[in-house]
Coordinates of all heavy atoms in Angstrom, one line a residue:
E1517 N 6.4 -24.2 -0.3 CA 6.7 -25.7 -0.1 C 6.4 -26.0 1.4 O 6.4 -27.2 1.7 CB 8.1 -26.0 -0.5 CG 9.2 -25.5 0.5 CD 9.5 -24.0 0.3 OE1 8.9 -23.3 -0.6 OE2 10.3 -23.4 1.1
Y1538 N 19.9 -19.4 20.3 CA 20.3 -20.7 19.8 C 20.1 -21.7 20.9 O 20.1 -21.4 22.1 CB 21.8 -20.7 19.4 CG 22.0 -19.7 18.3 CD1 22.4 -18.4 18.6 CD2 22.0 -20.1 17.0 CE1 22.6 -17.4 17.6 CE2 22.2 -19.2 15.9 CZ 22.5 -17.9 16.2 OH 22.8 -17.0 15.2
G1579 N 22.0 -12.0 -11.0 CA 23.3 -12.1 -10.4 C 23.3 -13.2 -9.3 O 22.3 -14.0 -9.2
Q1583 N 22.7 -7.5 -1.8 CA 22.7 -7.0 -0.4 C 21.6 -5.9 -0.4 O 21.7 -4.9 -1.2 CB 24.1 -6.4 -0.1 CG 24.1 -5.5 1.2 CD 24.0 -6.4 2.5 OE1 24.7 -7.4 2.6 NE2 23.2 -5.9 3.4
P1595 N 29.1 0.3 -2.3 CA 30.1 -0.3 -3.2 C 31.3 0.6 -3.5 O 32.4 0.1 -3.7 CB 29.3 -0.7 -4.5 CG 28.0 0.1 -4.5 CD 27.7 0.3 -3.0
Y1633 N 34.9 12.7 -14.3 CA 33.7 12.4 -15.0 C 34.0 12.3 -16.5 O 34.9 12.9 -17.0 CB 32.6 13.5 -14.8 CG 32.3 13.6 -13.3 CD1 33.1 14.5 -12.5 CD2 31.3 12.9 -12.7 CE1 32.8 14.7 -11.2 CE2 31.1 13.0 -11.3 CZ 31.9 13.9 -10.6 OH 31.6 14.0 -9.2
V1653 N 37.4 1.9 -10.7 CA 36.0 1.8 -10.9 C 35.5 2.8 -11.9 O 35.9 3.9 -12.0 CB 35.2 2.1 -9.6 CG1 33.7 2.2 -9.8 CG2 35.4 0.9 -8.6
I1654 N 34.6 2.3 -12.8 CA 33.8 3.2 -13.7 C 32.4 3.0 -13.2 O 31.9 1.9 -13.2 CB 34.0 2.8 -15.2 CG1 35.4 3.1 -15.7 CG2 33.0 3.6 -16.0 CD1 35.6 2.6 -17.1
T1709 N 13.2 1.9 -3.6 CA 12.2 2.9 -3.3 C 11.2 3.1 -4.4 O 10.0 3.4 -4.2 CB 13.0 4.2 -3.1 OG1 14.0 4.0 -2.1 CG2 12.0 5.4 -2.7
A1729 N 33.8 -13.7 -4.9 CA 34.8 -12.7 -4.4 C 34.2 -11.4 -4.2 O 34.4 -10.7 -3.2 CB 36.0 -12.7 -5.4
I1739 N 28.4 -5.2 6.5 CA 28.4 -5.6 8.0 C 29.2 -4.6 8.8 O 28.8 -4.1 9.8 CB 28.8 -7.0 8.2 CG1 27.8 -8.0 7.6 CG2 29.1 -7.3 9.7 CD1 28.3 -9.4 7.6
C1750 N 11.4 -4.3 3.9 CA 11.7 -5.5 3.1 C 10.4 -6.2 2.8 O 10.2 -6.7 1.7 CB 12.7 -6.4 3.8 SG 14.3 -5.7 3.9
Q1767 N 2.3 0.9 -17.1 CA 2.9 2.2 -17.0 C 3.9 2.5 -18.1 O 4.0 3.7 -18.6 CB 3.7 2.4 -15.7 CG 2.7 2.5 -14.5 CD 3.5 2.6 -13.1 OE1 3.6 1.5 -12.5 NE2 3.9 3.7 -12.7
A1775 N 4.6 10.2 -24.2 CA 5.8 10.7 -24.8 C 5.7 11.0 -26.3 O 6.1 12.1 -26.8 CB 7.0 9.8 -24.6
L1788 N 12.9 13.2 -24.2 CA 14.0 12.4 -23.9 C 13.5 11.1 -23.3 O 13.2 11.0 -22.1 CB 15.0 13.1 -22.9 CG 15.5 14.4 -23.4 CD1 16.4 15.1 -22.3 CD2 16.2 14.4 -24.7
S1810 N 8.8 4.2 -17.0 CA 7.7 5.1 -17.1 C 8.1 6.6 -16.8 O 7.2 7.4 -16.5 CB 6.6 4.7 -16.2 OG 7.0 4.7 -14.8
Q1823 N 9.4 30.3 -15.7 CA 8.2 30.7 -15.0 C 7.0 30.2 -15.8 O 6.0 29.7 -15.1 CB 8.1 32.2 -14.8 CG 6.9 32.6 -14.0 CD 6.9 32.0 -12.6 OE1 7.9 32.0 -11.9 NE2 5.8 31.4 -12.3
I1829 N 2.9 23.6 -14.9 CA 3.0 22.5 -14.0 C 1.9 22.7 -12.9 O 1.2 21.7 -12.5 CB 4.4 22.4 -13.3 CG1 5.4 21.8 -14.4 CG2 4.4 21.5 -12.1 CD1 6.9 21.9 -13.9
F1834 N -3.7 15.8 -12.4 CA -3.4 14.5 -12.0 C -1.9 14.2 -11.8 O -1.5 13.2 -11.3 CB -3.9 13.5 -13.1 CG -5.4 13.5 -13.3 CD1 -6.0 13.7 -14.5 CD2 -6.2 13.2 -12.2 CE1 -7.4 13.7 -14.6 CE2 -7.6 13.2 -12.3 CZ -8.2 13.4 -13.5
L1863 N 21.5 18.2 -24.8 CA 20.1 17.7 -25.0 C 19.1 18.6 -24.4 O 17.9 18.6 -24.8 CB 20.0 16.3 -24.3 CG 20.8 15.2 -24.9 CD1 20.6 13.9 -24.2 CD2 20.4 15.0 -26.4
G1866 N 16.6 24.4 -23.4 CA 15.6 25.3 -22.8 C 15.1 24.8 -21.5 O 15.7 23.9 -20.9

Side-chain angles (χ1 to χ4, degrees):
E1517 74 283 355
Y1538 299 89
Q1583 170 72 43
Y1633 304 88
V1653 167
I1654 295 175
T1709 306
I1739 291 172
C1750 293
Q1767 286 177 266
L1788 307 179
S1810 62
Q1823 186 55 54
I1829 288 173
F1834 295 126
L1863 296 178

